[in-house]
Amino acid sequence: MLGNPSSAAALQCDLLIRNALLLDGSGRPGWYADLAAQAGTIVAIGDLAGVDLQSATVVDATGLVLAPGFIDVHTHDDLEVLRNPQMLAKLSQGVTTVITGNCGISAAPVSLRAEVPDPMNLLGQSTDFCYPHFADYAAAVDAIQPAVNVAALVGHTALRASILDRLDRAATPGEIDQMRQTLEQALLQGALGLSSGLAYHNAAAAPVEELLALAAPLCAAGAIYTTHLRTEFDGILDALTEAADLGLKLNVPVVVSHLKCAGVLNWGRSAEILDFFAARRKQQQFSCDCYPYSASSSTLDLAQVTADFAIMITWSEPEPASAGRLLADIAADWQCSLLEAATRLMPAGAVYHGMHEADVQQFLQAPYSMIGSDGLPCDPLPHPRLWGAFPRVLGHYCRDLKLFELAEAIHKMTGLSAENFNLTGRGLLREGYQADLVLFDPSTIRDNATFTHPVAAAAGISAVWVNGVLSYQQGAATGQRAGRFLARQPARNSVIKHPNSNPDKEAQA
Ligand SMILES: [Zn+2]
């Protein structure tokens, strides 16, 4: 099961990490061991003392935890990985892979017919959308080589914006055909699957029939469907049913994005929602991601303006001085209603403190929930999840509040994520797996990003290796960028096992 020292003696290795507490991403309890890697691949795990491993970089990890690099399954880093390939916001948390294209918005394949539609403006400006084919985007990632690995979904809204003349209506059968062909081509070029953002007005007019017809090729490709539900407010059960039924009809795994109970009338319903998940998980692959905060963030949406909870403006095109202020204070200054103030601020970004902490904790504790940051890299005053999501789970929720064991917390950001998104050879510490690694101090790891000072690296991350390359150490990027574009692997039932891969079955969630 573990590396055998006698066989490791014959191995070359360029990295040797000694005496770490290994949490291997499977959810099993940690154990003390050494790990050796060569040319970006883990080659031995076990007691490697006395083994002749010359010319290795040796790291003494006494007192530290070694885990697989974290996989951020919910990002809007599509263009950020090209714009700022150092990716410090993620690397500094121990993230080694980002999944882009969530919530219906993606950088590719896109040929915009008009201005950048909301919320694609979260990703970048119109000139940034220059990847009409998914392969163009994959090639751009590989050419720039960001510091983290990148895998990408194709956004439903992105397809609509490329093919429909207006987005406030359903697509015609001909337009659905065009979107489906574009999606099929992207799947052939390595896209992980399709995402939707049905809560946003530029996708809300799409009936479920449009999604069903569009998503039809996912099953044969072994691809997945992720969805920002049609509503996360009072109608959430209907929206969950719509998403789950689509997965069942098309035989496609479904990931519900940033699961939450939004709005005060919805608070306290997490148990009911988890019951729904439990029932559906007996019939189909149905999981979710979530971020560890009771506030959400996106573009400012008039439909979400309320006096029930605080709304902070993070940016506003016509009123840039409003950034960082509460909508209620702005409205008071302007002597107008919240809605009038919001209308005047648009286009704008906002943080909505619209969740109940108890629900957030319930969703984080669900054994099948993955961690995704949902960070917004273009926001000048980003929600702190951009820089803090993963350390916050490990420090605040795991160590301080004891919501779950550390092994389970790691599983939710590594092995479980790689399993659900079919990222072969990543997410676990196994011989033959890629050496995406994070070394951290479990007693000091902590998120430092706050709502008022959101751009702050976490404490407690000692070192991060991406594909075996030391990329972050003691609070700073090393300047080496070793990320790769990760194309979708063959359909699960036709996966050909890597000859070095460990046959151990991953722990079931
Ligand atoms: Zn979303």
Side-chain angles (χ1 to χ4, degrees):
M1 194 162 71
L2 303 180
N4 178 342
S6 60
S7 67
L11 291 173
Q12 293 280 315
C13 94
D14 52 30
L15 171 64
L16 174 60
I17 302 171
R18 288 203 185 277
N19 307 317
L21 175 61
L22 261 61
L23 287 165
D24 70 356
S26 71
R28 74 171 74 156
W31 74 97
Y32 291 92
D34 308 323
L35 180 146
Q38 166 70 12
T41 301
I42 298 170
V43 292
I45 298 172
D47 180 2
L48 304 177
V51 176
D52 183 22
L53 294 165
Q54 289 177 349
S55 79
T57 297
V58 181
V59 177
D60 179 9
T62 303
L64 302 176
V65 165
L66 182 64
F70 305 146
I71 298 169
D72 189 347
V73 295
H74 193 106
T75 86
H76 297 293
D77 289 332
D78 304 53
L79 293 163
E80 185 69 4
V81 295
L82 306 174
R83 208 165 26 218
N84 291 305
Q86 200 59 256
M87 291 299 291
L88 200 56
K90 297 298 168 69
L91 201 55
S92 62
Q93 297 181 58
V95 169
T96 56
T97 297
V98 297
I99 293 176
T100 66
N102 280 282
C103 298
I105 57 175
S106 59
V110 171
S111 309
L112 288 179
R113 294 175 56 109
E115 285 300 289
V116 185
D118 177 89
M120 284 177 71
N121 53 347
L122 291 174
L123 302 183
Q125 301 171 345
S126 59
T127 48
D128 298 329
F129 289 90
C130 51
Y131 307 102
H133 303 287
F134 189 84
D136 302 334
Y137 175 71
V141 170
D142 273 335
I144 284 183
Q145 197 170 29
V148 294
N149 302 307
V150 180
L153 299 155
V154 171
H156 167 234
T157 304
L159 294 173
R160 285 170 64 85
S162 301
I163 287 162
L164 275 63
D165 59 343
R166 47 187 296 179
L167 302 177
D168 59 351
R169 61 170 177 82
T172 65
E175 289 164 341
I176 294 173
D177 272 349
Q178 273 182 277
M179 291 198 287
R180 189 174 53 223
Q181 283 166 24
T182 308
L183 174 63
E184 275 173 330
Q185 188 186 43
L187 291 170
L188 285 173
Q189 294 169 354
L192 290 183
L194 175 70
S195 78
S196 68
L198 301 175
Y200 290 106
H201 60 89
N202 283 320
V208 69
E209 291 76 18
E210 177 177 322
L211 273 302
L212 276 167
L214 174 61
L218 295 178
C219 177
I224 65 170
Y225 175 64
T226 75
T227 179
H228 176 153
L229 296 171
R230 206 175 276 279
T231 180
E232 297 167 325
F233 288 79
D234 305 353
I236 185 170
L237 276 181
D238 288 342
L240 281 167
T241 303
E242 178 185 20
D245 283 352
L246 183 147
L248 207 54
K249 277 189 186 133
L250 298 179
N251 191 23
V252 168
V254 176
V255 175
V256 176
S257 296
H258 43 58
L259 181 63
K260 65 173 76 73
C261 292
V264 291
L265 293 174
N266 227 5
W267 287 357
R269 292 184 68 197
S270 48
E272 191 184 341
I273 285 158
L274 292 173
D275 284 348
F276 179 90
F277 270 80
R280 287 307 186 109
R281 284 173 58 78
K282 290 176 183 158
Q283 308 174 53
Q284 64 185 113
Q285 287 177 272
F286 193 65
S287 61
C288 65
D289 64 66
C290 51
Y291 49 78
Y293 298 87
S294 58
S296 62
S297 184
S298 190
T299 46
L300 181 59
D301 174 9
L302 295 181
Q304 290 193 49
V305 169
T306 172
D308 289 347
F309 47 78
I311 297 173
M312 186 182 75
I313 302 303
T314 61
W315 57 271
S316 162
E317 266 183 28
E319 301 283 348
S322 299
R325 300 193 66 207
L326 294 177
L327 179 62
D329 293 344
I330 297 167
D333 279 4
W334 293 350
Q335 297 186 320
C336 65
S337 70
L338 293 176
L339 202 57
E340 284 164 340
T343 305
R344 187 168 145 190
L345 288 162
M346 285 177 68
V351 165
Y352 307 86
H353 290 268
M355 287 174 253
H356 195 285
E357 176 66 20
D359 291 323
V360 173
Q361 294 188 14
Q362 287 292 310
F363 293 141
L364 283 171
Q365 281 183 293
Y368 46 83
S369 67
M370 297 170 279
I371 306 303
S373 71
D374 200 10
L376 301 175
C378 294
D379 199 316
L381 194 65
H383 186 303
R385 65 197 184 189
L386 177 66
W387 285 79
F390 291 80
R392 184 169 173 80
V393 170
L394 298 173
H396 178 65
Y397 283 112
C398 179
R399 179 190 59 229
D400 299 343
L401 299 190
K402 299 184 170 42
L403 278 196
F404 25 60
E405 295 293 326
L406 187 54
E408 188 184 352
I410 297 291
H411 178 57
K412 293 161 97 52
M413 46 183 82
T414 58
L416 181 64
S417 317
E419 170 78 11
N420 283 334
F421 283 86
N422 202 13
L423 302 177
T424 308
R426 297 184 194 268
L428 297 174
L429 300 181
R430 292 278 191 277
E431 291 170 23
Y433 272 55
Q434 297 298 311
D436 289 342
L437 305 167
V438 55
L439 195 61
F440 68 92
D441 185 337
S443 65
T444 62
I445 191 163
R446 187 165 69 92
D447 57 307
N448 285 324
T450 64
F451 287 97
T452 45
H453 295 95
V455 177
I461 301 285
S462 295
V464 182
W465 291 264
V466 179
N467 295 307
V469 174
L470 182 62
S471 305
Y472 185 83
Q473 189 175 31
Q474 303 300 351
T478 64
Q480 300 191 88
R481 307 200 309 252
R484 296 176 194 156
F485 187 81
L486 307 182
R488 183 179 46 76
Q489 298 297 305
R492 262 164 241 251
N493 44 14
S494 65
V495 168
I496 299 159
K497 279 276 178 194
H498 187 279
N500 292 332
S501 69
N502 191 304
D504 279 6
K505 184 90 185 83
E506 186 197 346
Q508 294 298 311

